[in-house]
Structures are given as C-alpha cells and as structure tokens.
C-alpha cells in the first residue's frame, strides 16, 4: 500500500520556467512533509519542509504548498535551473510521537530542466 | 558541519562474506537511521536508533545486524547476504527521533553488490 504517491515519474521544463512537482498521500495521520532532491549515486538532500499547521512554506526559489483537505502537496521551483535536474522525492511523517521518526517516501519524479 | 559520511562508497561481497558498513555524523544528532534503496524505488526504512538504542526494526532479516557504538557512529554488519540484497544503503540522522518538524539528513550511501 503506497501511502505517498508521486504520479508523474518524469517532468521536463525549460530553464527559467516554473517546475511543479506533485505528491498525494492517503494517511491522514501524516503531519509533517518534506521534499528531498537526489542526484544519481548520492544520498537524498533535504530541500524544504512543511508542517500540517501551515499551507505554504517558501525558501528562495522553492515553495511547498499543502492542501490538507485534498491530501495533496506540491513543490514549485521558480525559476528552474539546469542544476535542478534530479529526482525529487516527497516524504511524510507522523511527528511528535516521542519514539521514532519514520519517513515514508513517494516513488520520485525525475525533473529535467532543458536549456 | 551538516555532513553524514558513509564508508565504503562501494562494496562487493560474496554470499559467505562478513562485512560492515559505517556511518558517522558530528551534528550532535541523537537519532540515526538505515535505509535500503533499490534502483528506481524510494528509500525504505530498515532501522532507527534513538539515543543509541534500537527503537525500530522494520522486520529486517537477521543477516543485517545494526550497531550504534556511540551517538556519532552507526554500523550495519552484513553476513550471508543474498544477491537480492544488492542495493544502495543510506544512513541518515536527525536531531531526535519522533520530534516535531525534524528533518533527516542523509549520507551519500554505500553501493552494495552481492555476488
């Protein structure tokens, strides 16, 4: 049962334009969401996160939007740059348990930013 | 220092070998994690250590044996592995396990091939 889904396995965007990566989840207990970027043969790099008490978080070129009622989040990258070409993973967790943090990852979206 | 280091980068081992993967962080994080990632799949959680104690084992076969000698080090001992265990093994750390709004930081991974 895939609790976190990224339905687009790949996305191609021109340099300078907006990249929008989408993620859907099914577990209503998730209250913390993260986006990671991964280059081949490297570990995931943390990009940006959002708590369920917010609907938007912005950090430079990256903005994450959360729609709790739709159980949907998206990552916007503006403007897109060639160095943004990578696989992007959405992840979710149930925070504040005091015991352990389990990150559930989506299947990833490969972003290609073209010149 | 926001780095998680892993050694070795690559490892090839036979099914009868015993080897160990090592992970180190000096960020003062008290939670450390092992993930396994197969090609074109998301990372899957294997183990979580919180304050040097094993808090989550995701039903991992006993041929994988984790160890946390101190708060900065995490090992994964491997014995009698199968070819299907070939994967990228990722280590991660976070400030605490189970806290609200706590990001996990990943190492570059060890690419393991079992022959």
């Amino acid at each position: 049962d895939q609790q976190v889904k990224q339905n687009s396995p790949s996305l191609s965007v021109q340099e300078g334009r907006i990249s929008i990566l989408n993620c859907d989840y099914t577990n209503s207990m998730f209250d913390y969401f993260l986006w990671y970027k991964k280059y081949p043969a490297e570990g995931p790099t943390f990009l940006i996160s959002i708590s369920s008490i917010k609907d938007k978080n912005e950090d430079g070129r990256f903005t994450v939007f959360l729609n709790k009622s739709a159980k949907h989040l998206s990552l916007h990258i503006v403007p897109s740059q060639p160095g943004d070409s990578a696989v992007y993973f959405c992840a979710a967790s149930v925070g504040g348990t005091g015991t352990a943090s389990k990150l559930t990852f989506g299947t990833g979206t490969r972003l290609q930013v073209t010149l | 220092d926001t780095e998680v280091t892993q050694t070795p980068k690559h490892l090839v081992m036979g099914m009868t070998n015993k080897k160990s993967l090592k992970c180190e962080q000096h960020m003062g994080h008290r939670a450390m994690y092992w993930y396994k990632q197969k090609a074109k799949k998301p990372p899957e959680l294997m183990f979580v250590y919180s304050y040097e104690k094993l808090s989550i084992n995701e039903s991992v076969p006993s041929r994988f044996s984790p160890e946390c000698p101190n708060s900065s080090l995490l090992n994964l001992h491997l014995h009698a592995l199968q070819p299907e265990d070939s994967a990228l093994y990722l280590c991660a750390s976070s400030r605490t396990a189970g806290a609200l709004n706590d990001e996990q930081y990943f190492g570059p991974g060890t690419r393991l091939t079992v022959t």
Side-chain angles (χ1 to χ4, degrees):
Chain A
D1 175 32
Q2 191 69 33
Q3 296 186 64
V4 179
K5 298 179 186 178
Q6 293 175 255
N7 292 319
S8 298
S10 63
L11 176 68
S12 183
V13 171
Q14 266 192 321
E15 182 181 10
R17 300 286 186 111
I18 183 170
S19 295
I20 300 176
L21 296 97
N22 294 303
C23 178
D24 297 293
Y25 63 96
T26 57
N27 187 345
S28 57
M29 296 295 291
F30 288 143
D31 58 7
Y32 192 54
F33 304 89
L34 309 91
W35 283 95
Y36 284 86
K37 172 180 175 179
K38 187 176 185 302
Y39 293 116
E42 292 185 13
T45 302
F46 169 71
L47 267 180
I48 192 168
S49 61
I50 188 166
S51 162
S52 60
I53 61 172
K54 294 185 173 184
D55 55 18
K56 178 182 174 181
N57 189 25
E58 195 171 349
D59 184 2
R61 295 186 299 116
F62 302 93
T63 303
V64 56
F65 295 92
L66 175 62
N67 182 334
K68 278 182 64 180
S69 59
K71 293 194 178 70
H72 177 83
L73 65 155
S74 61
L75 174 69
H76 292 208
I77 306 174
V78 182
S80 301
Q81 299 173 353
D84 296 329
S85 298
V87 177
Y88 288 78
F89 287 100
C90 165
S93 70
V94 178
T97 64
T99 52
S101 293
K102 291 179 61 169
L103 274 183
T104 302
F105 282 86
T107 47
T109 296
R110 181 174 301 279
L111 173 66
Q112 180 79 33
V113 179
T114 58
L115 296 171
Chain B
D1 183 6
T2 58
E3 197 179 16
V4 176
T5 58
Q6 289 186 244
T7 55
K9 278 191 171 182
H10 301 276
L11 178 62
V12 179
M13 60 185 289
M15 289 189 282
T16 57
N17 290 160
K18 280 185 182 182
K19 296 285 184 184
S20 296
L21 309 184
K22 294 184 186 306
C23 174
E24 192 166 0
Q25 57 87 14
H26 295 288
M27 294 179 276
H29 289 175
R30 302 311 300 270
M32 296 185 78
Y33 311 78
W34 280 115
Y35 288 83
K36 172 181 177 179
Q37 186 178 21
K38 301 280 272 184
K40 299 190 192 306
K41 297 284 188 185
E44 291 180 357
L45 183 67
M46 299 173 73
F47 303 104
V48 181
Y49 271 83
S50 177
Y51 294 89
E52 294 100 73
K53 287 187 168 49
L54 183 65
S55 62
I56 291 184
N57 175 343
E58 290 285 279
S59 303
V60 179
S62 59
R63 57 185 184 269
F64 295 91
S65 174
E67 179 198 18
C68 191
N70 61 56
S71 59
S72 301
L73 290 173
L74 185 66
N75 298 322
L76 187 62
H77 303 296
L78 314 171
H79 175 54
L81 295 194
Q82 304 296 311
E84 58 266 28
D85 296 321
S86 299
L88 181 68
Y89 287 84
L90 294 162
C91 174
S93 70
S94 65
R95 283 190 304 276
T96 59
L100 285 169
N101 304 344
D102 196 12
E103 295 85 31
Q104 292 182 24
Y105 292 86
F106 284 81
T110 293
R111 173 72 58 190
L112 174 68
T113 304
V114 182
T115 60

